[in-house]
Amino acid sequence: MGEGIGDYTKNVIDLRRHMWMAGVEVELRRLIWQIAVVGKYISAKIHEANRKLAGLKNIYGEEQLSLDRSSDEILKNQLQFSGFVREYASEEQEAIVKIGTGREKYIVTADPLDGSSLVETNLAIGTIIGIHKEAVFDTGKNTMVAALYITYGPLITMVYSAGCGTHEFVLNREGEYVLAQENIRLKENGSIFSPGGLRNEWIPEHLRFIEQLEKDGYKLRYSGGFVPDINQVLIKKGGLFTYPALRKSPQGKLRLLFELQPMAFIMEQAGGQATDGRTDILSLKVESLDQRSPIYIGSSAEVQMVKQFLK
Ligand code: F6P
């Protein structure tokens, strides 16, 4: 076996050891670990759904919830008994759910299975998590202590930040999350762009910005899954993802609390930036659970450039 990601046998640092060495506070690292474990259960559910697609029977013979609902159930149940979480806010729930005694340290936000409609296409999908110490109706800057996402693709990978850099782990064949890249750092600029929304719905300033990227030779890379699309910018160490304001929906499509804040936290910790075009994503105040915002996220040169276009 060669060096790098494939080499699980030598000098392996697993997730728990990494968080301990990085000095992540004990309750936070236990919580992150438990959420990472949920990723294994969710990936089993995805596998089960794929069996059905392939015409195979549900091995449990039971009526299945939709994949996003069952991912939500699994996550909520796990967090309920973790002892570290007082409230759970999920894209799948209408309101914040109190799941602890009220004395626990953390509030967890979740998009349990983002992009689940892509399952049948066999593209990658993901889970997005934000961890907050304070009530979530504030800015991410004031409330967030950590974020992570899990990508279910040809490999299952997990990227987390607890405020000391951004790190990537791969789930190996033994079921352990092993360190793939520590302290991922984005370059000043990249060479890919990932633009959401229909072109004829874009506002003129955004269109001009995208045309500039095209002129500059940026390659189009958009899968329609927020997690893999963000992950490729991070792992390629540069470039830009955007889901902009549209004529019919000036707030864009993606949700501030469940999708944008966690990704902004992770990107900033990797030296990148995230803005709605004017204001940093982590400086936007969350007013409601389903609040949306336009987003430009990735390496700093592209994010600074779009601010000039949208001025
Ligand atoms: O929010 C769900 C989601 O599927 C994201 O994962 C993705 O970035 C976006 O919607 C894709 O939207 P569209 O189908 O408009 O490109």
Side-chain angles (χ1 to χ4, degrees):
M1 214 185 270
E3 294 295 320
I5 282 182
D7 189 1
Y8 302 133
T9 53
K10 281 193 264 166
N11 302 322
V12 164
I13 296 181
D14 77 1
L15 176 60
R16 277 186 287 195
R17 193 166 141 208
H18 185 266
M19 289 193 288
W20 177 76
M21 288 183 339
V24 179
E25 188 248 322
V26 59
E27 292 192 7
L28 186 56
R29 65 177 195 252
R30 288 192 182 151
L31 176 57
I32 291 173
W33 166 249
Q34 292 198 11
I35 295 170
V37 169
V38 170
K40 301 187 202 177
Y41 305 145
I42 294 178
S43 86
K45 283 277 169 196
I46 298 169
H47 182 69
E48 178 71 13
N50 289 341
R51 281 174 59 88
K52 275 169 75 187
L53 276 178
L56 300 168
K57 274 194 14 218
N58 169 1
I59 47 175
Y60 308 110
E62 63 201 12
E63 198 47 47
Q64 292 280 287
L65 288 173
S66 69
L67 262 183
D68 22 24
R69 294 249 331 266
S70 50
S71 304
D72 183 54
E73 284 286 303
I74 296 169
L75 189 55
K76 184 158 78 60
N77 289 343
Q78 177 88 355
L79 296 178
Q80 199 145 22
F81 299 106
S82 70
F84 309 125
V85 182
R86 61 181 189 276
E87 289 176 6
Y88 174 64
S90 161
E91 237 201 20
E92 295 298 316
Q93 311 269 347
E94 276 172 16
I96 296 182
V97 188
K98 294 201 185 314
I99 58 173
T101 61
R103 288 191 299 275
E104 295 81 359
K105 254 191 197 156
Y106 301 110
I107 301 174
V108 169
T109 71
D111 187 348
L113 199 58
D114 185 82
S116 55
S117 63
L118 294 176
V119 166
E120 63 187 12
T121 68
N122 204 20
L123 282 163
I125 53 180
T127 296
I128 311 170
I129 301 289
I131 303 178
H132 301 246
K133 226 168 178 173
E134 312 299 333
V136 294
F137 295 109
D138 197 337
T139 65
K141 246 185 200 143
N142 285 343
T143 65
M144 291 190 80
V145 292
L148 66 98
Y149 66 83
I150 300 170
T151 310
Y152 310 101
L155 289 173
I156 295 175
T157 61
M158 198 284 275
V159 169
Y160 92 92
S161 176
C164 305
T166 290
H167 319 287
E168 184 198 27
F169 293 77
V170 180
L171 190 65
N172 71 8
R173 269 170 294 186
E174 284 73 44
E176 288 168 316
Y177 282 99
V178 296
L179 183 62
Q181 292 190 65
E182 191 172 32
N183 270 322
I184 299 173
R185 298 302 294 171
L186 296 191
K187 291 174 283 189
E188 176 91 14
N189 52 22
S191 56
I192 55 172
F193 72 114
S194 196
L198 288 178
R199 202 170 180 105
N200 61 12
E201 289 242 342
W202 290 347
I203 58 170
E205 295 83 350
H206 178 77
L207 180 61
R208 281 197 287 276
F209 166 63
I210 296 293
E211 284 172 347
Q212 186 60 51
L213 293 180
E214 287 165 346
K215 264 191 221 136
D216 292 346
Y218 281 72
K219 284 187 186 162
L220 177 65
R221 293 284 185 269
Y222 187 76
S223 77
F226 187 46
V227 173
D229 284 341
I230 288 288
N231 192 54
Q232 69 174 335
V233 172
L234 189 77
I235 300 304
K236 295 281 182 195
K237 304 199 171 59
L240 183 93
F241 173 93
T242 169
Y243 208 109
L246 302 176
R247 287 180 205 278
K248 283 193 204 136
S249 41
Q251 292 312 309
K253 176 176 185 188
L254 301 179
R255 289 182 172 82
L256 179 58
L257 182 64
F258 302 114
E259 294 167 302
L260 306 187
Q261 280 188 339
M263 293 308 197
F265 190 93
I266 286 168
M267 262 319 169
E268 282 196 6
Q269 284 292 321
Q273 296 182 7
T275 174
D276 69 352
R278 288 179 185 81
T279 308
D280 287 349
I281 293 295
L282 293 180
S283 299
L284 294 174
K285 190 167 179 202
V286 176
E287 310 275 357
S288 68
L289 289 183
D290 67 349
Q291 186 175 335
R292 293 159 202 262
S293 165
I295 183 162
Y296 298 86
I297 179 168
S299 35
S300 51
E302 290 85 347
V303 174
Q304 289 309 318
M305 181 173 154
V306 74
K307 285 186 175 168
Q308 295 305 315
F309 276 81
L310 295 186
K311 238 183 198 169

